[in-house]
Amino acid sequence: MEIRRTNLSEPIPPSTHYADEIARATAERAARRTYEPPRDGGAPDAFAQVVKQELEAVTDDLHQLSARIHQLAETAFEERESAQAIVELLRAHGIDAQTGVYGVETSVLAQVGGDAGAEVGDGESTGRTIGILAEYDALPEIGHACGHNVICATGVGAFLVLARAHAKAQLPGKVVLLGTPAEEGHTGKEYMAREGAFDSLDAAIMLHGYGYDCADQVWLGRRTLTVTYKGVSAHASAQPFMGRNALDAANLFYQGLGLLRQQMPPIDRIHAVIPEGGTRPSIVTEEAQVQVYVRSKFPETLKDLSERVHDVAQGAALMRGRAVELQGDVPPPSLPIRTNQPLTDRWVKHQNTVGRQPLPAGVLDESIAASTDFGNVSYRVPGIHPLLKISDESVALHTRAFEAASGSQSASKGVVDGAYGLAMTAADFLFDDELAASVTADFEAAGGRMDVPNFFN
């Protein structure tokens, strides 16, 4: 047997061969497949020209907002200064905005068009209502390594541009800006949804920064599970036979997850850590804890996989004679994203206008898939969550390299292009009755509105 390395002072770096092959295959598919969005319909050309003019007028403000959010890098539920920066920008442009709505302290709400003086959800607004969402939480230690500062600036920018355009050319409906905190490791949108944040919306849109422009990519649903094993402590040398080691059960559970992976669908994911495994080797561990993320491509398969993980957790307790406590879905689950095709078509059209060519679904390898709480929104109302290129293709999310990219010139350009795309997609939905009908029809054909809080019960 060939010994690859004897110096173990540093970890062996992962091979890049599989990632390189994915990139090669993606490039081949991208060269063969193009997206042909509809040319007709949507908002009037005159309104599009107003949007372009207003976007140019606020470009510097949007760049400053993106840079400010990037510098603050506030983590989930701590985004107080970030939320205030959004409110201050909107108020500087004469738009009323507030924080602390729908039960989340660091959320943001503003609206324009329709009966803009009415409360969202009171049913008094005229015409259709579309929500534009903005995220602005960062990751611990590595800051905006998921580019939420860009998400924020594009969402706020689209809303601001439409608000300014509305003063010159009336919108036939209402646009709502929702600042939605705590996406990273949490489900801030679900907390807000349960307080009615999306009840009055007819559609919701946002985007996410990435290494590619992509109209539609797979996002997995995610559930959490905390498993606590309870044993009996004893002296590990003098009387080990009088103990019941909780860490043994945690170890069996961890190994059982590894064996379960052999019979999982290829895109399903399980990740686990053991944050509590005892205090010192001389004491038989009395309590051990395992934290697990479970991910899957469809709501139904996510439910199936979760049940299998529960069985493994309980089986490990039974094998070692330990007590076990299972605490699931804290925070609430994230569902996979259900993408609305008619809205996606409009997004692609407007990205083509600014020189971008979003890839159609199926070009990017679906094995590179994460999760987002926007999935919970997309099962309540029609929605889109396209990807916007702000980095080199080789740069992955949740890395220091992507944190740097989210503050780069490429990200600044993305803020402008993304704000335009979101603004015009929203305008199309409000102006075009035929489009709105097709958006609703597509949503209903995919299953319609889901009772998200009770789906896993």
Side-chain angles (χ1 to χ4, degrees):
M1 177 185 294
E2 178 183 356
I3 299 176
R4 296 177 58 195
R5 173 167 132 172
T6 57
N7 178 11
L8 298 180
S9 61
E10 296 290 337
I12 298 173
S15 169
T16 64
H17 293 150
Y18 187 71
D20 293 343
E21 177 58 26
I22 287 177
R24 183 199 63 76
T26 297
E28 283 189 0
R29 288 192 293 269
R32 295 195 306 266
R33 298 183 62 180
T34 58
Y35 202 116
E36 294 294 336
R39 298 182 180 181
D40 301 325
D45 291 342
F47 189 85
Q49 290 303 314
V50 174
V51 166
K52 290 178 182 177
Q53 294 167 7
E54 297 306 323
L55 179 58
E56 184 175 352
V58 300
T59 290
D60 288 346
D61 287 343
L62 301 186
H63 286 164
Q64 290 172 17
L65 177 64
S66 180
R68 176 63 174 152
I69 301 298
H70 188 267
Q71 183 268 328
L72 287 169
E74 296 173 304
T75 55
F77 297 116
E78 302 296 329
E79 316 97 322
R80 296 177 183 85
E81 290 188 59
S82 298
Q84 192 59 36
I86 297 170
V87 170
E88 289 173 358
L89 173 60
L90 294 177
R91 288 177 178 171
H93 287 270
I95 301 168
D96 184 41
Q98 56 185 304
T99 60
V101 295
Y102 302 114
V104 180
E105 178 190 356
T106 51
S107 60
V108 176
L109 170 66
Q111 54 187 332
V112 66
D115 183 4
E119 291 293 326
V120 175
D122 64 6
E124 297 179 8
S125 62
T126 58
R128 291 179 288 275
T129 300
I130 190 166
I132 302 178
L133 277 53
E135 297 173 7
Y136 33 89
D137 60 319
L139 289 155
E141 299 181 3
I142 55 176
H144 278 290
C146 209
H148 289 195
N149 60 303
V150 175
I151 296 175
C152 176
T154 54
V156 173
F159 174 82
L160 177 57
V161 165
L162 289 173
R164 290 170 61 93
H166 178 63
K168 298 180 179 180
Q170 286 285 106
L171 285 165
K174 182 186 290 186
V175 184
V176 175
L177 173 69
L178 284 171
T180 59
E183 187 275 336
E184 295 292 354
H186 296 270
T187 42
K189 294 179 187 63
E190 180 62 23
Y191 289 121
M192 294 176 67
R194 295 181 183 186
E195 295 296 323
F198 305 99
D199 289 356
S200 72
L201 301 185
D202 299 301
I205 60 176
M206 64 174 292
L207 59 76
H208 201 294
Y210 203 59
Y212 293 89
D213 284 307
C214 186
D216 181 13
Q217 172 64 349
V218 171
W219 291 81
L220 304 178
R222 186 198 70 190
R223 300 185 76 183
T224 62
L225 177 67
T226 298
V227 182
T228 303
Y229 293 102
K230 297 181 181 294
V232 179
S233 65
H235 195 294
S237 178
Q239 287 187 311
F241 47 85
M242 294 302 294
R244 293 291 181 268
N245 197 328
L247 183 57
D248 288 350
N251 180 49
L252 279 172
F253 175 44
Y254 193 88
Q255 298 302 319
L257 293 178
L259 295 173
L260 176 61
R261 288 188 180 97
Q262 298 177 37
Q263 278 75 51
M264 284 170 22
I267 198 171
D268 284 5
R269 300 284 186 268
I270 300 176
H271 337 281
V273 295
I274 305 178
E276 297 179 21
T279 55
R280 61 179 57 189
S282 62
I283 304 172
V284 172
T285 299
E286 186 174 32
E287 184 170 302
Q289 185 183 94
V290 186
Q291 294 178 354
V292 189
Y293 279 8
V294 180
R295 304 186 200 245
S296 193
K297 185 176 179 180
F298 307 103
E300 295 78 10
T301 58
L302 181 59
K303 181 186 289 188
D304 292 343
L305 183 58
S306 301
E307 292 171 354
R308 296 179 73 188
V309 169
H310 273 241
D311 290 344
V312 175
Q314 293 173 326
L318 182 61
M319 283 191 290
R320 298 302 299 153
R322 310 297 182 258
V324 62
E325 294 179 358
L326 302 166
Q327 183 181 34
D329 297 333
V330 180
S334 295
L335 289 169
I337 286 182
R338 177 200 279 171
T339 299
N340 187 272
Q341 192 59 52
L343 285 175
T344 298
D345 292 343
R346 308 311 298 185
W347 163 261
V348 173
K349 174 184 177 180
H350 299 304
Q351 288 301 278
N352 290 168
T353 299
V354 297
R356 293 177 180 259
Q357 301 292 325
L359 300 173
V363 172
L364 296 186
D365 195 298
E366 70 172 18
S367 68
I368 304 177
S371 304
T372 170
D373 58 3
F374 185 78
N376 296 28
V377 178
S378 73
Y379 279 84
R380 286 178 164 94
V381 296
I384 59 170
H385 188 275
L387 299 175
L388 180 78
K389 181 177 174 61
I390 64 170
S391 74
D392 182 80
E393 292 88 347
S394 63
V395 178
L397 298 176
H398 288 205
T399 62
R400 295 190 184 278
F402 201 85
E403 190 274 341
S406 67
S408 67
Q409 288 297 314
S410 179
S412 295
K413 183 179 186 306
V415 164
V416 177
D417 293 347
Y420 177 77
L422 290 175
M424 286 307 304
T425 300
D428 286 354
F429 179 74
L430 296 181
F431 275 99
D432 190 335
D433 291 339
E434 186 176 337
L435 169 64
S438 67
V439 166
T440 300
D442 184 88
F443 181 71
E444 294 300 329
R449 184 180 179 88
M450 176 188 288
D451 181 4
V452 176
N454 294 311
F455 177 75
F456 293 104
N457 293 338

